[in-house]
Amino acid sequence: MDLLFLGTSSGIPTRARNVSGLALLENSGKGWYLIDCGEATQHQLLRTPLTLHGLRAICITHVHGDHCYGLPGLLASAGMARRQEPLDIIAPEGIEDWLRATFAMSRTGLPFELRFHAAESLGQWRTPQVRVEVAALSHRVPSYGYSFTEARPDPKLAIDRLERDNIPRGPLWGQLARGFDVEHEGRRLRSEMYLDFGRRPRRIVIGGDNDRPELLADTCRAAQVLVHEATYTQPAATAARDQFGHSTAAQVAAFAENVGLPNLVLTHFSARYQAKADGGFSIEDVRAEASAAYRGRLFLAQDFMRLHLDKDGELRPVTA
Amino acid sequence: MDLLFLGTSSGIPTRARNVSGLALLENSGKGWYLIDCGEATQHQLLRTPLTLHGLRAICITHVHGDHCYGLPGLLASAGMARRQEPLDIIAPEGIEDWLRATFAMSRTGLPFELRFHAAESLGQWRTPQVRVEVAALSHRVPSYGYSFTEARPDPKLAIDRLERDNIPRGPLWGQLARGFDVEHEGRRLRSEMYLDFGRRPRRIVIGGDNDRPELLADTCRAAQVLVHEATYTQPAATAARDQFGHSTAAQVAAFAENVGLPNLVLTHFSARYQAKADGGFSIEDVRAEASAAYRGRLFLAQDFMRLHLDKDGELRPVTA
């Protein structure tokens, strides 16, 4: 599983960072998931190997424009690229009506189906590759985090159980091995009943805008990676006397340390934090503040940064 | 008056060209007008000297997404930059409702007023610098062209008329000279009655998507520049058996030649026309086709190309 950051700026784009967008890539093949879709996410994709045909689902964390204004253009471009596969969109209520109103206004017809799932009542959503679950966060508007859990880590057929249940060796075993449920002599055989998994599943948690990281404590159990906003440093938040519903680097780092997360990726930085100190602010302030409270592996996201989570739960940069 | 191209691709962005956006700069100062606002127009602006504080008005040619999906993000960013000056938006009906629905969905409040003017019934709209008029075009949806005419080219006070009407020399003359109407002894004195203009006003016509350039014949009278889409070349349009409401380079060039336009700028190219021939198509095909039918000064727009129209009506590239 890989993460490829498409936008890491909070609120407004800068020359170096676009507004929010993050791709999560399946372990094999070209399938990927998009978490948030700020304006010009489709433009960022043009500079990656990802295609709109490989996109399996879009998850939107909340309705603020810097997290969703790129949806209409990205979907329209997928249509112009003649995508036909239905596309699942998991998003807060309000997004569906707005997208439909937008396409009505602009007279845009898509050649593929949009399947909406309200984040408010999702429970879980799954493909053969991943299981997606949602967690409610705290922000100025309803905001959600999404966890992506590998569905079938190194599956092996449980021969003993297959033989015990008199399931004949052959094509049926193959179906079950590939994750498909099958019918046999009037019984429905569930694939997962006849598979053993070789290791812990990989699990990545991606937060939306949120001023209470501790709301992700349950979701982060058994996760190897948390991607979370750190819009401000503590001194900046204190000076503003208002965090506007956001977290500081110190706050997220302390949470990650408390729950023993091995890998933490911070993102969604206020535009004041530049690569080089500008007016007293530098992105290195964010790193220093987080490092002081967190002993795991810390990453500060940049646009086009790609990170690979290996089977042992280690997260490392991929160079292009 | 300058033109600064922000997006010159038709339908979808490419790595070299964004979707439609064009800035027209006032002769002096930092004021400018935006014609069309495809997605990521605000991102393109980050690479120009233009600011959202200097923006005087936005004109939208039609409702297709590649001409307006950048509006919500650009306006939200103007708000975050604390713009307070009201902003005029001249656009087809439908845009206003959609923008208001978008801001309601994303809980976006702007600190400045939006003043909408329906293109369908505009007549004209003016500032002390320019007069904007609208012309109906032919496309799959209602589409409009906009002409920008210099309001006060090299103004000089008409002393003879001021003295004839017994208007006392002093502050009143100054007001009239700067283009302001004034009250005097119960009479309303209109600035333009007491000004002589030193030369023909500059006039630039900017078309929207359109498959009948000849609809701009009246609007192009007394204009020095036409900016018009040339989405396809003639062979491509013939092969597709449908121009989808667009013009070919040959068609626009023949029109410009017929009405004797001294300067023609083509834009809004299909993504198939690349800088270098790719699959048999090249942007040079567009140039060759237009050159064959037009003897004036021909430009093929590129993103960030800047052109200056001087007082003598000559259009030339500005290098940064």
Side-chain angles (χ1 to χ4, degrees), chain B residues 1-9 17 20-25 33-36 61 67 135 137 143-148 203-217 219-220 223-231 247-249 251-253 255-256 259 261-269 294 297-303 305-309 315-316:
Chain B
M1 292 165 101
D2 282 22
L3 294 169
L4 175 47
F5 288 84
L6 302 170
T8 58
S9 179
R17 297 178 186 271
S20 292
L22 170 56
L24 186 149
L25 286 67
Y33 305 83
L34 176 62
I35 301 93
D36 280 337
T61 62
H67 295 255
L137 305 175
S143 182
Y144 299 91
Y146 294 97
S147 65
F148 289 77
R203 182 174 170 89
I204 296 177
V205 177
I206 298 166
D209 287 9
N210 179 32
D211 60 12
R212 293 179 57 202
E214 65 273 19
L215 292 173
L216 287 167
T219 306
C220 283
Q224 294 88 30
V225 181
L226 170 64
V227 179
H228 199 283
E229 64 125 316
T231 309
S247 289
T248 63
Q251 209 180 341
V252 181
F255 164 74
V259 298
L261 266 163
N263 301 285
L264 174 63
V265 189
L266 300 179
T267 186
H268 195 268
F269 307 113
Y294 177 67
R297 197 115 199 252
L298 174 69
F299 298 85
L300 268 57
Q302 297 175 6
D303 287 21
M305 175 189 270
R306 182 167 177 166
L307 300 171
H308 174 70
L309 178 61
L315 189 67
R316 48 184 132 210

Side-chain angles (χ1 to χ4, degrees), chain B residues 18-313:
Chain B
N18 195 28
V19 286
S20 292
L22 170 56
L24 186 149
L25 286 67
E26 285 175 359
N27 200 34
S28 57
K30 58 170 192 167
W32 62 286
Y33 305 83
L34 176 62
I35 301 93
D36 280 337
C37 186
E39 181 180 357
T41 294
Q42 67 160 325
H43 298 65
Q44 298 288 86
L45 289 173
L46 296 174
R47 301 178 187 281
T48 73
L50 302 173
T51 73
L52 294 174
H53 288 277
L55 179 58
R56 303 251 188 267
I58 302 176
C59 300
I60 300 293
T61 62
H62 65 296
V63 298
H64 282 157
D66 56 320
H67 295 255
C68 67
Y69 281 173
L71 278 173
L74 180 137
L75 295 174
S77 289
M80 280 186 272
R82 299 174 204 265
R83 181 190 172 111
Q84 297 195 309
E85 190 79 10
L87 181 64
D88 292 273
I89 301 182
I90 302 168
E93 283 167 6
I95 293 284
E96 176 175 2
D97 284 351
W98 168 66
L99 275 178
R100 299 209 188 276
T102 298
F103 292 138
M105 180 283 292
S106 60
R107 317 283 173 86
T108 305
L110 297 181
F112 58 93
E113 182 193 355
L114 297 179
R115 298 192 291 217
F116 286 93
H117 310 273
E120 288 81 352
S121 53
L122 182 73
Q124 64 165 242
W125 174 91
R126 58 195 306 163
T127 69
Q129 281 74 38
V130 297
R131 188 174 77 241
V132 178
E133 286 153 308
V134 67
L137 305 175
S138 164
H139 190 49
R140 288 173 288 141
V141 296
S143 182
Y144 299 91
Y146 294 97
S147 65
F148 289 77
T149 309
E150 216 178 348
R152 303 164 59 249
D154 293 350
K156 281 194 190 123
L157 276 175
I159 310 284
D160 53 339
R161 295 203 293 280
L162 288 162
E163 290 180 341
R164 180 198 66 195
D165 292 351
N166 296 316
I167 300 165
R169 195 178 288 265
L172 279 184
W173 285 30
Q175 296 269 74
L176 292 167
R178 287 193 299 278
F180 294 103
D181 300 341
V182 294
E183 295 286 338
H184 176 59
E185 295 182 345
R187 281 186 298 165
R188 179 155 194 83
L189 308 178
R190 291 183 43 227
S191 163
E192 65 190 54
M193 298 292 292
Y194 299 100
L195 291 175
D196 287 324
F197 298 108
R199 54 180 171 79
R200 280 175 66 193
R202 282 173 280 189
R203 182 174 170 89
I204 296 177
V205 177
I206 298 166
D209 287 9
N210 179 32
D211 60 12
R212 293 179 57 202
E214 65 273 19
L215 292 173
L216 287 167
D218 283 348
T219 306
C220 283
R221 206 159 287 147
Q224 294 88 30
V225 181
L226 170 64
V227 179
H228 199 283
E229 64 125 316
T231 309
Y232 304 115
T233 53
Q234 204 64 53
T238 306
R241 295 188 194 179
D242 188 346
Q243 289 181 221
F244 306 104
H246 293 295
S247 289
T248 63
Q251 209 180 341
V252 181
F255 164 74
E257 181 68 21
N258 276 345
V259 298
L261 266 163
N263 301 285
L264 174 63
V265 189
L266 300 179
T267 186
H268 195 268
F269 307 113
S270 162
R272 76 188 66 187
Y273 301 106
Q274 298 288 317
K276 291 183 180 172
D278 174 22
F281 292 106
S282 156
I283 194 72
E284 292 308 317
D285 302 344
V286 180
R287 191 187 306 276
E289 185 174 297
S291 301
Y294 177 67
R295 287 171 300 175
R297 197 115 199 252
L298 174 69
F299 298 85
L300 268 57
Q302 297 175 6
D303 287 21
F304 304 112
M305 175 189 270
R306 182 167 177 166
L307 300 171
H308 174 70
L309 178 61
D310 71 19
K311 292 183 177 183
D312 300 324

Side-chain angles (χ1 to χ4, degrees), chain A residues 18 39-40 42-43 69 98 106, chain B residues 18 39-40 42-43 69 106:
Chain A
N18 195 30
E39 182 179 357
Q42 67 160 323
H43 297 67
Y69 281 173
W98 168 67
S106 61
Chain B
N18 195 28
E39 181 180 357
Q42 67 160 325
H43 298 65
Y69 281 173
S106 60

Side-chain angles (χ1 to χ4, degrees), chain A residues 255-306:
Chain A
F255 165 74
E257 181 68 23
N258 276 345
V259 297
L261 266 163
N263 301 285
L264 174 64
V265 189
L266 300 180
T267 185
H268 194 268
F269 306 113
S270 162
R272 77 188 66 186
Y273 301 106
Q274 299 287 315
K276 294 186 178 169
D278 176 19
F281 293 107
S282 156
I283 194 71
E284 293 308 318
D285 303 343
V286 180
R287 190 187 307 276
E289 185 174 297
S291 301
Y294 177 68
R295 286 171 301 176
R297 195 113 199 254
L298 174 71
F299 297 85
L300 267 56
Q302 297 175 7
D303 287 22
F304 304 113
M305 176 189 269
R306 182 167 175 165

